[in-house]
Amino acid sequence: MGHVDHGKTSLLDALRKTDVVSGEAGGITQHIGAYQVTMASGKKITFIDTPGHAAFSEMRARGANVTDVVVLVVAADDGIMEQTIEAINHAKAAGVSIVVAINKIDKPGANPERVRSELLSHDIVLEEFGGDVLSVEVSAKQHLNLEKLEEIILLQAEITEPKANPNRTAMGAVIEAKIDRGRGTVVTLLVQNGTLKVGDIVVAGSEWGKVRAMVNDHGKAIKEAGPSMPVEVLGINGVPMAGLEFLVVENEAKAREIAESRTHRKRDLLAKSSVKSSMESIMSQIAAGDIKEFPVVIKADVQGSLEAISASLLKLSGTEVAPRILHGGVGGINESDVTLASASGGIIIGFNVRANPQARDLAKWDGLDIRYYSIIYDVIDDIKTVLSGLLAPTLKEKYLGNSEIRSVFNITGIGKVAGCYVTDGIVKRGAKVRLLRENVVIHEGTLKTLKRFKDEVKEVKESFECGMAFENYNDIREGDIIECFEIESIARKL
Ligand code: GDP
């Protein structure tokens, strides 16, 4: 994992070429989402070919912990970047050990020394600084030190000692699934324990089937796959999601029973209009004494607020439950933040920033709470309430709708008026409004006017146009978003 363009794909490609087996056979490797490299020593490493950290946490959110070691790729000419930090935090939240590949050392501007010291400030303490994180300087382009990288991966693996028993029924995780014209459903499974055999009955999520055929990462048909082997499997009826666990059961009747009960459960969950939000579930778990940690992801508009919020939250530790900051960053809330928070059963705090539409949809789907704030004191107060195990806060913000500013008019006597289109929800007169520019809050206040054509109206619904002007505020621009919300007061229950 690592920042975009730091060389993850290049490194995976280069590592794939170190495989002695495919080298000898001259075989073409087949893309199946994961592959195994056999080294000259005969030792093997399986690489998962999903270098994105969002994909990594998504898998974890669905129940699978597929990785034993995360290789953090940092370009030596670029250093630690936003997504490097995200990757570190995703790996830490998963409790997976990290080895660092300092890439692109062939480049003239490469400065591996700087990378090493920058890592320190993100709690990655390399061996040379007295820590226990192994690192190596590599070049994916010139194939420098790839064997050394593989060695440190194996070394790290020996420390964590992942163990599996080949002599039991197989279980593991879904890496990829697709429908292939001609072959039907093709599912890549990573066997994590036991041995998977042709003829086995497999259940993954609410899909199941009998393994008709298996193909390894060299495109060769095989009859058996042991621990850590990725295989393409034919014969499963549907397309299970990546990250789901799979297991082998004794017969078809059992498989059907498990699959059907899961389908029912999924339908029930979807039908329930009020699926418990992550916040509610955290609160009830705290109240029941089941958890001692409260995982949060913090996104803020500026570094200063981020630091202030993090510091104040950490000060709340020491009571019976403590906040745990999974990740903090500057900028809008993205999908990576959502997967990280939901994989850890936490919430997201947005301080003067908003979620992008994809992140919003994902959060809705996951039942994840995103809490927006514009006053630091409110953040601390809210979290304090949660930590002390109290129920819902007295004041709750209710989102009404968003409108996009399509044009801006200057009207004498009134000032600037925004010609808007309500993109979702509703806009109400008297409600509160915020002005957002590129997902960052620019202004918060009230509306002076809300007009449909020439008339002042009470509300405007989704897909309609309207004119709006802010009370005492004029810096509005085309493309800005006006967010409309109300403050609801809710009685405190004990
Ligand atoms: P990803 O986004 O992390 O998967 O990065 P890519 O593997 O796509 O690499 C981004 C760019 O960096 C590509 O143009 C690569 O050719 C280049 N690149 C990757 N590794 C190296 C390296 O070791 N040395 C040099 N000079 N360029 C590299």
Side-chain angles (χ1 to χ4, degrees):
M1 303 199 287
H3 196 70
V4 65
D5 280 348
H6 279 198
K8 298 178 292 291
T9 316
S10 312
L11 200 53
L12 276 166
D13 283 347
L15 286 164
R16 179 180 261 152
K17 295 200 183 101
T18 62
D19 184 32
V20 293
V21 176
S22 67
E24 284 162 11
I28 16 153
T29 47
Q30 181 153 336
H31 176 84
I32 66 169
Y35 59 90
Q36 202 172 57
V37 168
T38 306
M39 298 162 62
S41 61
K43 292 192 171 171
K44 293 173 177 171
I45 303 173
T46 302
F47 290 96
I48 311 279
D49 203 352
T50 43
H53 41 263
F56 171 80
S57 283
E58 226 167 78
M59 288 198 169
R60 199 159 65 84
R62 295 199 192 113
N65 246 335
V66 292
T67 27
D68 297 310
V69 176
V70 161
V71 178
L72 183 72
V73 181
V74 189
D77 61 335
D78 207 18
I80 309 292
M81 303 296 285
E82 174 74 23
Q83 287 161 303
T84 318
I85 300 167
E86 283 181 13
I88 293 171
N89 291 332
H90 278 253
K92 275 190 189 157
V96 176
S97 48
I98 295 176
V99 303
V100 182
I102 303 175
N103 191 29
K104 304 198 188 184
I105 50 156
D106 59 287
K107 287 188 99 172
N111 188 352
E113 225 22 80
R114 195 188 74 189
V115 174
R116 279 189 279 266
S117 56
E118 278 179 353
L119 281 168
L120 263 180
S121 53
H122 297 282
D123 289 335
I124 303 285
V125 190
L126 299 183
E127 260 195 323
E128 44 266 68
F129 293 110
D132 53 7
V133 181
L134 305 173
S135 75
V136 61
E137 295 177 15
V138 296
S139 162
K141 195 170 178 180
Q142 298 187 348
H143 291 209
L144 286 177
N145 281 346
L146 299 179
E147 283 74 19
K148 190 112 182 286
L149 173 59
E150 290 171 340
E151 269 165 34
I152 67 167
I153 294 172
L154 287 173
L155 217 62
Q156 187 59 50
E158 271 164 29
I159 297 166
T160 27
E161 277 195 283
K163 279 206 176 75
N165 171 14
N167 302 315
R168 48 158 288 171
T169 51
M171 55 172 295
V174 177
I175 301 293
E176 249 181 28
K178 60 180 184 220
I179 295 175
D180 186 292
R181 227 198 285 165
R183 292 199 296 166
T185 313
V186 181
V187 182
T188 301
L189 299 179
L190 176 71
V191 180
Q192 290 179 292
N193 210 346
T195 298
L196 182 66
K197 304 183 178 105
V198 169
D200 277 349
I201 313 288
V202 168
V203 191
S206 43
E207 315 298 341
W208 67 278
K210 186 174 188 161
V211 178
R212 267 196 290 121
M214 289 197 289
V215 178
N216 71 8
D217 52 338
H218 299 303
K220 219 174 110 196
I222 50 170
K223 292 253 177 301
E224 286 191 356
S228 289
M229 266 188 71
V231 276
E232 258 188 5
V233 167
L234 301 187
I236 295 176
N237 301 327
V239 183
M241 280 198 286
L244 283 176
E245 283 176 326
F246 83 83
L247 69 155
V248 168
V249 296
E250 62 259 43
N251 54 42
E252 298 196 359
K254 184 87 195 161
R256 196 172 298 130
E257 187 192 317
I258 295 175
E260 275 172 12
S261 86
R262 285 179 177 165
T263 312
H264 285 308
R265 206 169 345 137
K266 197 157 77 183
R267 211 178 295 150
D268 286 354
L269 272 179
L270 285 178
K272 261 192 218 157
S273 53
S274 63
V275 182
K276 254 194 176 177
S277 72
S278 55
M279 189 72 147
E280 285 165 1
S281 101
I282 291 168
M283 285 166 118
S284 58
Q285 287 181 65
I286 290 176
D290 289 341
I291 54 166
K292 301 260 175 285
E293 266 186 351
F294 179 46
V296 289
V297 169
I298 308 167
K299 290 307 278 284
D301 54 345
V302 292
Q303 188 68 27
S305 312
L306 178 65
E307 278 163 15
I309 293 168
S310 308
S312 321
L313 283 188
L314 290 175
K315 270 198 213 122
L316 297 178
S317 310
T319 44
E320 60 277 36
V321 267
R324 176 165 151 235
I325 299 167
L326 300 169
H327 176 61
V330 171
I333 296 162
N334 59 36
E335 285 157 284
S336 165
D337 300 323
V338 174
T339 50
L340 178 59
S342 54
S344 306
I347 65 155
I348 297 182
I349 291 172
F351 188 78
N352 278 338
V353 294
R354 290 293 173 272
N356 68 27
Q358 294 89 322
R360 217 179 329 158
D361 288 349
L362 195 62
K364 216 185 271 169
W365 180 254
D366 286 350
L368 173 89
D369 253 305
I370 301 183
R371 304 227 149 185
Y372 296 127
Y373 300 91
S374 43
I375 300 169
I376 293 184
Y377 180 76
D378 286 346
V379 185
I380 310 308
D381 224 31
D382 233 21
I383 302 302
K384 227 193 239 164
T385 313
V386 178
L387 291 182
S388 42
L390 290 173
L391 293 177
T394 10
L395 290 180
K396 199 176 166 197
E397 188 176 310
K398 185 180 164 206
Y399 169 79
L400 292 175
N402 268 347
S403 329
E404 189 185 304
I405 300 185
R406 298 241 160 128
S407 48
V408 176
F409 308 97
N410 237 326
I411 294 175
T412 30
I414 297 184
K416 278 191 178 165
V417 176
C420 299
Y421 176 80
V422 184
T423 50
D424 69 86
I426 191 167
V427 178
K428 282 187 187 169
R429 199 169 61 190
K432 301 192 77 170
V433 280
R434 285 195 190 95
L435 186 69
L436 308 179
R437 192 164 295 158
E438 276 156 15
N439 288 326
V440 172
V441 178
I442 302 292
H443 171 74
E444 181 174 322
T446 48
L447 286 181
K448 185 160 56 179
T449 57
L450 177 63
K451 281 189 189 314
R452 284 270 305 148
F453 303 106
K454 294 250 167 305
D455 308 320
E456 195 66 26
V457 289
K458 272 210 184 110
E459 58 179 46
V460 180
K461 293 205 174 79
E462 185 172 325
S463 308
F464 285 97
E465 288 175 335
C466 58
M468 292 191 239
F470 286 85
E471 196 80 65
N472 301 322
Y473 186 80
N474 262 327
D475 175 24
I476 51 176
R477 294 186 203 160
E478 233 175 88
D480 288 353
I481 302 288
I482 297 177
E483 175 184 88
C484 188
F485 66 99
E486 280 175 340
I487 301 289
E488 266 183 335
S489 87
I490 295 166
R492 250 191 204 181
K493 286 174 278 171
L494 271 181

